[in-house]
Amino acid sequence: MKVFGVDIGGSGIKGAPVDLERGDLADERFKVLTPQPATPDAVADCVRQVVDHFGWSGPVGATFPGVVTDGVTRTAANVDKAWVDRNAAALLAGRLGDDTGGCPVTVLNDADAAGLAEMRFGAGRGRRGTVIVLTFGTGIGSAVFADGRLVPNTELGHLELHGHDAEKRASTKVKDDEDLSWQQWAHRVQKYLAHVEMLFSPRLFVIGGGVSRKAAKFLPLIEGIRAEIVPARLQNNAGIVGAAMAAHAAGRDGAAAPAGAGASAGPFSVPDSDGTNAPDGADGPSGPSGPSGTTSQVGWPADP
């Protein structure tokens, strides 16, 4: 099965159809630069450009670099502040022509999308306990998993590090802007990981984002972290894959469109073949359920 995924970032917007059986792109991704300023309308136009490049008509999953609840973007650290409290799912669905039955849209946090992909198809597959996926780019995104279940919108890139948001000290953008050596940057990342480890005691850190392609240049320089640290296997495609997973999950669960035709609130929990919401091999309880048997977004499993 193929579903379209779009990854909206602070510097680029990229997308492609995704083969959800393989957990990989079905075609070479297409990328455009994020407009400056990155207003909702300007970004929506770019998303349409990416989707139209493939002549796609059908469900679309889209990531967003900030907190997303019920399809609404609540924060906007690295894009225009006009995104705050905007119904992004409805905006994108309308821009993609969903009023004619074209492209229902599901929106979720960008790091959560990358984390879902890594836990299902990548470096986190089959890992129990606490796993934290961190994406380094314009900022630092985070996805926290407990026994395969996602706690959404953690935004650990905004933890304080030396009096600043961590992403203002240790993101890839900061490395480039300040012309830091790999050693200098790895020292900052090490301090950040040590702080996150103190708070969450994870078994595994998965380091994603574009810099994951160069993991050999900096991961060996990081010392004193008890948790295992590995690069993301899907590298910078993880967000696209995770966005497609979310769109598929929302469609299969019949996710409601709370505000605007075709808008989906986000990826809901997806039952396994036994009818539970536990990921494969999980021995813990399923996530909390709300009215009518719908499952809370807290506790999304990594499986599509």
Side-chain angles (χ1 to χ4, degrees):
M1 171 176 286
K2 294 181 182 179
V3 178
F4 203 93
V6 179
D7 191 7
I8 299 172
S11 59
I13 298 171
K14 51 190 180 290
V18 174
D19 184 333
L20 290 179
E21 293 182 358
R22 297 186 298 112
D24 199 2
L25 306 189
D27 292 289
E28 183 176 354
R29 73 185 188 187
F30 179 70
K31 179 178 179 178
V32 298
L33 295 178
T34 302
Q36 300 300 327
T39 63
D41 284 336
V43 169
D45 285 341
C46 289
V47 170
R48 178 166 184 169
Q49 182 181 350
V50 171
V51 174
D52 285 351
H53 175 81
F54 295 89
W56 181 265
S57 179
V60 172
T63 76
F64 180 79
V67 172
V68 182
T69 59
D70 297 327
V72 176
T73 49
R74 300 299 186 184
T75 65
N78 295 302
V79 290
D80 193 86
K81 299 304 181 186
W83 279 102
V84 176
D85 292 332
R86 187 68 182 264
N87 191 321
L91 169 66
L92 295 177
R95 194 59 53 91
L96 295 177
D98 187 67
D99 55 346
T100 61
C103 300
V105 178
T106 301
V107 181
L108 74 164
N109 174 267
D110 56 351
D112 287 348
L116 287 168
E118 284 295 327
M119 292 297 289
R120 179 66 179 90
F121 298 108
R125 184 176 176 86
R127 297 297 295 260
R128 315 306 299 166
T130 302
V131 176
I132 299 180
V133 179
L134 297 169
T135 58
F136 288 80
T138 305
I140 300 175
S142 63
V144 177
F145 293 85
D147 287 335
R149 296 181 179 281
L150 172 66
V151 180
N153 293 313
T154 48
E155 291 289 273
L156 300 184
H158 299 299
L159 290 173
E160 184 176 309
L161 185 65
H162 299 302
H164 302 275
D165 269 11
E167 66 179 26
K168 302 300 184 184
R169 295 283 299 171
S171 68
T172 307
K173 182 179 187 298
V174 169
K175 179 188 182 304
D176 294 340
D177 288 349
E178 298 185 17
D179 195 25
L180 300 175
S181 68
W182 287 109
Q183 180 70 58
Q184 290 171 320
W185 186 65
H187 181 66
R188 293 190 184 189
V189 173
Q190 176 180 305
K191 285 187 173 294
Y192 171 62
L193 294 180
H195 186 51
V196 175
E197 184 172 58
M198 181 270 294
L199 293 172
F200 293 93
S201 300
R203 294 183 183 178
L204 175 69
F205 283 115
V206 179
I207 306 301
V211 76
S212 60
R213 297 192 302 269
K214 302 177 181 179
K217 293 182 178 291
F218 68 93
L219 286 189
L221 303 176
I222 295 175
E223 301 176 341
I225 305 300
R226 293 185 176 183
E228 183 182 358
I229 310 173
V230 299
R233 290 183 189 169
L234 279 67
Q235 297 182 347
N236 212 22
N237 289 336
I240 297 174
V241 174
M245 289 171 59
H248 175 62
R252 189 165 68 178
D253 284 356
S264 294
F268 292 82
S269 295
V270 182
D272 281 347
S273 58
D274 62 358
T276 72
N277 289 314
D280 294 341
D283 53 9
S286 61
S289 295
S292 303
T294 59
T295 306
S296 167
Q297 288 183 329
V298 176
W300 294 333
D303 292 325

